[in-house]
Amino acid sequence: MSGLFGMMRTGVSGMNAQATRLATVADNIANSSTTGYKKSKTEFSTLVLPNTGSSYSSGGVTNSIQTMVTKQGVLQYTTSKTDLAIDGEGFFIVQDAGGAPFLTRAGSFVPNAEGELVNAAGYKLMGYSYANGTPTATANSFAGLEAVVISDISLTATPSTEGLYAANLPVDAADVVPANLPSANAATAEYSAKTSMVVYDDVGREVMLDIYFTKVTDNQWEVAVFNRADATPGSFFPYGTAGDPPLADTVLDFVPTTGQLDTTGNTDITIPVPGGQNVTIDLSGMTELAAGFTPLDAQVNGNPASGIEVVEIAADGTMYAQYTDGSFRALYRIPMATVQSPDRLQMLPGNVFSQSSDSGPIRIGFPGEGKLGTVVSGALEASNVDIAEELTAMIESQRSYTANSKVFQTGSDLMDVLVNLKR
């Protein structure tokens, strides 16, 4: 009698296990076109009861569900710069409407009404802002993250605060009489070389700076900076009223034997921009060699009043805004998160994951660091479901379910025979 009951229980156990497998197959097939979806897989293990040498008690089968998170889907390229995929390990950090953070590989982000980047499930992409300087990742916490916002409802102007200039100054240039140095701002001013740079004031106006390099004596040069708006038409000098000091001036000393800038002296110049901020120009790349005046590099930050025309996202997660004037500005850096065992993450509705007791703690870094993958802009990660594999699994489960039902039916028939022996 116990053997027949065990036989029927085993059949029911087999049917339940195959029903679970069919459920995962159904879910996988339904989500075969879901961006970033990770397939679920049913694994079986035996349930064996203690047996004696003269009888056998059948046990059954138990199952567990595994999510194939570490198996990457194929990258499919799109025309949207805000469609993001991860090539390698890691997850995007997203946030729901209630502010709770989650992990996802679903990167189909588009701006909502507030300019926040949200994916198809409504989760907001999180990142670190450049508003307070170059961001750093908080390795063990979501602190410091904020929703990535691309808003084009207003113009943005950023004043210049820093830059660099590098050039070669001719070592054989003639010395200039001190009374005629540009810093004296006289009509008779002489100079050895001149350049100009555009910087931006607080409201995004362009300010043209005239920069004069003048040899004072061997291996020593004066740098004087004036506002082009104050120049005398047709002759530049004097700027404003004769004798007025320049916006800024300094002296550069060069090492006679190498022609390189003497770093024990001045290596930069700070210029108070009219209507703007103090701009510090790095001059450490200046040289004094036997060649003509040769500009090598000139850069300055800031941008004029303009709106965002397009967004670019680099492989290291840095999101740049290109403005209508052609300038670029870093807005956010998008981090990635990972855990020790991604396949043990808890899968939740909306194609997101959360930390579980078996996954290990969440660690946060930037793309390309350690084992973290890189960001691919203009691409989406497809589901890692193989339809042919799922259909094969469905047929196998169907056959196995039918066989287990026959076991149960046979046990039921034998039980009827046993009950009716007395009749």
Side-chain angles (χ1 to χ4, degrees):
M1 179 74 75
S2 62
L4 292 179
F5 277 122
M7 176 183 177
M8 295 172 66
R9 283 194 297 268
T10 300
V12 171
S13 171
M15 286 189 289
N16 284 335
Q18 294 303 326
T20 300
R21 187 185 187 191
L22 285 168
T24 60
V25 168
D27 222 11
N28 290 340
I29 292 175
N31 287 280
S32 60
S33 298
T34 301
T35 298
Y37 176 79
K38 300 301 180 180
K39 65 174 289 185
S40 296
K41 183 180 180 182
T42 305
E43 293 290 341
F44 301 106
S45 58
T46 57
L47 287 176
V48 179
L49 300 180
N51 291 288
T52 64
S54 60
S55 65
Y56 184 85
S57 298
S58 60
V61 62
T62 185
N63 57 271
S64 61
I65 308 300
Q66 292 184 357
T67 305
M68 310 299 288
V69 178
T70 52
K71 182 181 178 182
Q72 179 157 353
V74 176
L75 299 188
Q76 299 176 333
Y77 291 88
T78 71
T79 58
S80 174
K81 296 291 187 181
T82 57
D83 280 343
L84 303 178
I86 297 174
D87 186 9
E89 297 184 19
F91 301 85
F92 295 116
I93 302 171
V94 294
Q95 187 182 79
D96 66 7
F102 298 95
L103 310 182
T104 189
R105 299 273 295 195
S108 55
F109 296 105
V110 294
N112 63 9
E114 287 74 38
E116 300 167 329
L117 288 183
V118 298
N119 65 12
Y123 288 92
K124 305 173 187 176
L125 177 64
M126 306 299 289
Y128 295 103
S129 174
Y130 272 86
N132 297 317
T134 303
T136 56
T138 306
N140 62 345
S141 171
F142 295 108
L145 288 168
E146 58 184 76
V148 173
V149 179
I150 304 174
S151 179
D152 204 20
I153 59 175
S154 62
L155 299 180
T156 301
T158 305
S160 299
T161 57
E162 61 183 22
L164 67 87
Y165 185 81
N168 179 68
L169 302 175
V171 68
D172 297 325
D175 297 350
V176 172
V177 177
N180 292 337
L181 288 174
S183 58
N185 194 24
T188 57
E190 301 177 45
Y191 55 90
S192 307
K194 175 189 175 184
T195 191
S196 298
M197 291 184 71
V198 170
V199 295
Y200 303 97
D201 68 9
D202 290 338
V203 294
R205 281 188 295 253
E206 290 187 357
V207 178
M208 181 73 78
L209 300 179
D210 288 337
I211 306 175
Y212 294 90
F213 298 95
T214 310
K215 188 175 182 182
V216 178
T217 186
D218 289 347
N219 311 120
Q220 189 175 79
W221 290 70
E222 178 194 80
V223 183
V225 183
F226 292 90
N227 181 7
R228 171 73 64 85
D230 297 334
T232 300
S235 61
F236 291 100
F237 285 101
Y239 284 81
T241 303
D244 286 350
L247 294 176
D249 66 284
T250 191
V251 173
L252 301 180
D253 293 307
F254 293 88
V255 179
T257 56
T258 64
Q260 303 300 309
L261 189 66
D262 185 351
T263 56
T264 62
N266 299 317
T267 59
D268 59 45
I269 184 170
T270 299
I271 308 162
V273 177
Q277 308 296 312
N278 288 340
V279 177
T280 299
I281 304 296
D282 181 2
L283 300 174
S284 59
M286 301 293 294
T287 59
E288 185 194 42
L289 301 172
F293 175 66
T294 309
L296 300 173
D297 197 6
Q299 299 179 29
V300 69
N301 66 352
N303 65 269
S306 56
I308 297 175
E309 182 172 321
V310 68
V311 170
E312 301 281 349
I313 302 170
D316 67 354
T318 304
M319 177 180 289
Y320 297 93
Q322 183 177 10
Y323 291 87
T324 51
D325 70 321
S327 63
F328 280 86
R329 176 187 171 195
L331 299 179
Y332 295 92
R333 192 163 185 198
I334 300 168
M336 285 185 190
T338 188
V339 293
Q340 185 65 35
S341 180
D343 288 341
R344 298 292 184 178
L345 285 167
Q346 182 180 5
M347 191 172 185
L348 299 171
N351 208 5
V352 295
F353 303 91
S354 66
Q355 176 184 332
S356 72
S357 57
D358 294 328
S359 67
I362 292 174
R363 301 189 302 271
I364 299 175
F366 288 122
E369 296 179 350
K371 294 184 178 180
L372 294 175
T374 56
V375 174
V376 182
S377 177
L380 295 172
E381 181 184 359
S383 166
N384 62 3
V385 173
D386 184 332
I387 291 293
E389 184 179 326
E390 298 303 317
L391 291 176
T392 302
M394 181 172 63
I395 294 171
E396 290 176 351
S397 292
Q398 181 184 10
R399 297 303 186 194
S400 184
Y401 188 96
T402 301
N404 278 282
S405 70
K406 291 296 185 182
V407 171
F408 180 86
Q409 187 177 2
T410 300
S412 178
D413 291 343
L414 291 176
M415 186 67 70
D416 283 342
V417 172
L418 184 61
V419 170
N420 292 321
L421 282 177
K422 189 177 180 181
R423 294 182 182 178

